[in-house]
Amino acid sequence: MTDLKKYQTYIGGKWCGAESGETFETEDPFTGEPWALIPKCGEADVNKAVEAAYAAWDSGPWADTTATARGRMMRKLGDLIADNAKSLAQTEVRDNGKLISEMQAQCQYLPEWYYYYGGLADKITGSVIPSDKPDTFNYTLREPVGVCAMIVPWNSPLLLVAWKLAPALAAGCTAVIKPSEFTSASLLEFMRLVEEAGFPPGVVNVVTGTGKETGEPLVTHPKVAKVAFTGGGLSGRRVYELAASGLKKVSLELGGKSPNIVFDDCILDDAVNGAISGIFAATGQTCIAGSRLLVQESIHDAFMAKLVDVAGQARMGDPKDFDTQVGPVTTPPQYEKVLDYIGIAKGEGATCVLGGGPAGADEGGGKYFVHPTIFDNVDNSMRIAQEEVFGPVLSVITFKDEEDAIRIGNDILFGLAAGVWTQNIKRATVMAKRLRAGTIWVNTYRAVSVTSPFGGYKQSGIGRENGAEAIDSYLQTKSVWISTAEGSGNPFVMKVAGSN
Ligand code: NAD
């Protein structure tokens, strides 16, 4: 216990422990051993953080900071992240077990969110409305909504914080962030950079702890104006219900069961790589995983032979090594869940053609390793086709033609993303139009950018993150009327268009 690193959280510009003095352990998913202690925040800490965020937004110093100065601070934060990207990535890998090759690239790209939205901060404008009332001046102000609660999962903590924090700060909001209880450390290290960038006390605060004890009091706090949530469907539903009782603004980024659709006119090697990147990158622990692989029946056998061959060579190992290709599952409950789904798929009659169980240390695995697993002959009605596994498990479903692919692709409650592999531009355009998902990739998979809107159709979410429009969900519009008329008119009659 004595050699565990002890983290403090950051509330109202001060480093502190939880009010209760309690902590919880965070584990390295590769070794399965605890490595750090995190403050166990509860309602008292949430209240303190929200009050600090409210005061900074309502009465200063953030309220008094010009939009240009906000943008400058954000760009400084971007520079600091760039200088510290490698160490931030190492902390993420230690806590979430994802590949260092992926997390380092992610952390090096992270500054772009603070540059992009920092640049937008002083370009948020209202408008002067050509009023239909004479002697009237009417204009709009676009104002920050206020304190924003930001709740993120364990798979990409700093990236998913950036998707929320950068547009919120640009809009002039303040933030209370709750990371996943499995991966709090990188955010706490990131807060050192927020402090160094010069953000005033209370602008960005962190409460660490569980969804129930820390997340729920945060979502229901009356001074929280907006909740931005990324996570699973069950918790998303709960957060939505709690936020509704306080009539809060909400954006939700939830899970998916995305179809990755391979036509017989694809470039086979590209499609095989795209299928593998869609499901086995990040050990399948990504909301955009292409976990339903739809293969046209005319190329099924040739495609599957190649897919199984290439996927079977994936190198499992320590995620801290740059040449590891498949790392551990991040959390013990998630590990159990992935193995349960493998059992369910076998019970449903799907044919396991690769993997299908835990991987031992002799195969490069560690405590929570699962073999890259492929099930063939899956029917879209099976649970393994309909439910999000969030692990390295691929379901292969065959289809006849475009109509069949569209029918199967859309026959799901989710709508986060879809992939299409074809060389036919007409087919690509038709598929992009008819697939019901927030992102469509053609001859590529997993491309995400700060510049392009991201979010879900159907039960994959509400609202959009990234791209210029994301800032709108942190703003509200005020209409200001100024009369230049002589006299005030009849006080008992509402002023309508054309009157004065
Ligand atoms: P999760 O829903 O269990 O937890 C996400 C966050 O919500 C955590 O911080 C958790 O503590 C908090 N939380 C849980 N219950 C809560 C409650 N009642 N009130 C307030 N907060 C609560 O998800 P996870 O297991 O950490 O992450 C995996 C899920 O996240 C997957 O379903 C995945 O698809 C989804 N995800 C979605 C996206 C996206 O952008 N669409 C991105 C990454 C992950």
Side-chain angles (χ1 to χ4, degrees):
M1 178 71 84
T2 47
D3 56 355
L4 297 184
K5 182 165 181 167
K6 289 190 182 63
Y7 279 96
Q8 289 189 307
T9 194
Y10 188 75
I11 295 177
K14 294 197 173 69
W15 292 96
C16 54
E19 291 280 299
S20 65
E22 287 182 71
T23 56
F24 61 94
E25 290 177 348
T26 192
E27 258 187 26
D28 177 334
F30 179 62
T31 61
E33 297 298 325
W35 70 276
L37 289 172
I38 308 290
K40 192 174 177 199
C41 296
E43 198 165 347
D45 307 282
V46 168
N47 290 342
K48 201 166 80 170
V50 176
E51 289 299 344
Y54 190 86
W57 166 74
D58 183 50
S59 47
W62 198 231
D64 305 327
T65 306
T66 64
T68 305
R70 289 204 302 269
R72 205 178 298 125
M73 260 178 244
M74 291 177 68
R75 288 193 292 278
K76 181 159 183 206
L77 177 58
D79 289 346
L80 289 167
I81 297 169
D83 293 345
N84 290 275
K86 283 192 180 163
S87 70
L88 289 171
Q90 281 158 2
T91 306
E92 295 231 302
V93 172
R94 190 156 192 199
D95 231 9
N96 74 1
K98 279 174 73 173
L99 302 185
I100 186 69
S101 47
E102 168 145 340
M103 297 322 275
Q104 189 164 303
Q106 212 176 77
C107 287
Q108 281 165 341
Y109 185 40
L110 210 54
E112 296 303 325
W113 270 265
Y114 298 93
Y115 298 147
Y116 179 93
Y117 289 103
L120 282 183
D122 57 6
K123 291 157 200 79
I124 300 166
T125 55
S127 55
V128 175
I129 298 187
S131 178
D132 57 356
K133 292 180 195 299
D135 304 322
T136 299
F137 179 47
N138 179 211
Y139 64 95
T140 58
L141 295 172
R142 297 182 74 214
E143 299 186 326
V145 294
V147 178
C148 300
M150 301 173 184
I151 301 180
V152 294
W154 40 260
N155 57 344
S156 294
L158 292 179
L159 184 76
L160 295 172
V161 164
W163 291 15
K164 298 162 182 56
L165 184 61
L169 291 175
C173 294
T174 55
V176 179
I177 310 172
K178 195 204 86 63
S180 164
E181 54 273 39
F182 296 105
T183 55
S184 311
S186 61
L187 181 64
L188 296 174
E189 300 206 351
F190 167 82
M191 291 309 295
R192 298 247 167 238
L193 309 182
V194 171
E195 188 180 36
E196 197 180 331
F199 287 90
V203 175
V204 189
N205 309 272
V206 176
V207 286
T208 44
T210 63
K212 181 106 195 104
E213 292 164 325
T214 321
E216 294 204 1
L218 178 59
V219 171
T220 51
H221 195 293
K223 286 186 176 164
V224 166
K226 156 151 185 149
V227 180
F229 174 89
T230 299
L234 268 183
S235 353
R237 224 168 251 116
R238 173 83 180 138
V239 165
Y240 198 25
E241 281 166 10
L242 291 172
S245 66
L247 295 173
K248 293 171 196 299
K249 297 172 190 358
V250 177
S251 54
L252 302 171
E253 298 281 4
L254 307 177
K257 192 80 186 178
S258 300
N260 202 0
I261 304 172
V262 181
F263 284 98
D264 59 6
D265 60 0
C266 70
I267 297 175
L268 203 71
D269 287 347
D270 290 356
V272 166
N273 281 337
I276 287 174
S277 121
I279 187 66
F280 298 126
T283 319
Q285 302 174 112
T286 149
C287 54
I288 51 181
S291 48
R292 282 187 304 149
L293 184 70
L294 275 53
V295 180
Q296 194 155 19
E297 60 186 14
S298 45
I299 55 161
H300 172 270
D301 294 354
F303 185 86
M304 288 305 291
K306 199 149 207 176
L307 177 71
V308 171
D309 179 43
V310 178
Q313 294 172 36
R315 262 189 315 277
M316 284 180 281
D318 187 339
K320 296 173 206 78
D321 294 340
F322 273 89
D323 56 359
T324 295
Q325 293 173 320
V326 176
V329 171
T330 298
T331 70
Q334 188 59 30
Y335 174 71
E336 294 304 329
K337 182 178 158 193
V338 174
L339 294 179
D340 279 355
Y341 269 109
I342 289 175
I344 288 167
K346 288 178 179 169
E348 287 179 308
T351 315
C352 187
V353 292
L354 184 72
D362 53 329
E363 301 164 282
K367 200 159 175 188
Y368 307 126
F369 275 73
V370 177
H371 277 291
T373 295
I374 301 179
F375 283 103
D376 199 359
N377 302 319
V378 172
D379 185 276
N380 197 51
S381 63
M382 292 178 180
R383 286 184 64 193
I384 197 62
Q386 291 289 320
E387 298 173 20
E388 187 185 43
V389 177
F390 219 62
V393 181
L394 180 65
S395 299
V396 180
I397 303 165
T398 46
F399 68 90
K400 286 192 185 55
D401 52 22
E402 266 175 40
E403 263 325 301
D404 204 25
I406 291 164
R407 181 186 60 78
I408 298 169
N410 287 337
D411 181 15
I412 194 92
L413 290 174
F414 300 107
L416 194 57
V420 179
W421 298 86
T422 176
Q423 292 187 76
N424 178 334
I425 185 71
K426 182 165 170 262
R427 170 176 275 172
T429 315
V430 168
M431 296 299 288
K433 184 168 166 54
R434 294 193 53 199
L435 287 168
R436 296 205 185 93
T439 296
I440 310 288
W441 291 294
V442 178
N443 297 332
T444 184
Y445 207 87
R446 291 186 92 216
V448 173
S449 163
V450 62
T451 58
S452 186
F454 179 88
Y457 277 33
K458 302 197 265 183
Q459 294 194 10
S460 286
I462 293 173
R464 290 291 174 272
E465 297 192 313
N466 301 339
E469 71 183 73
I471 207 163
D472 294 341
S473 69
Y474 294 92
L475 291 166
Q476 51 196 344
T477 303
K478 179 182 277 173
S479 183
V480 183
W481 292 87
I482 299 175
S483 172
T484 54
E486 292 294 330
S488 51
N490 183 345
F492 297 100
V493 179
M494 185 185 171
K495 293 183 198 328
V496 292
S499 69
N500 61 34

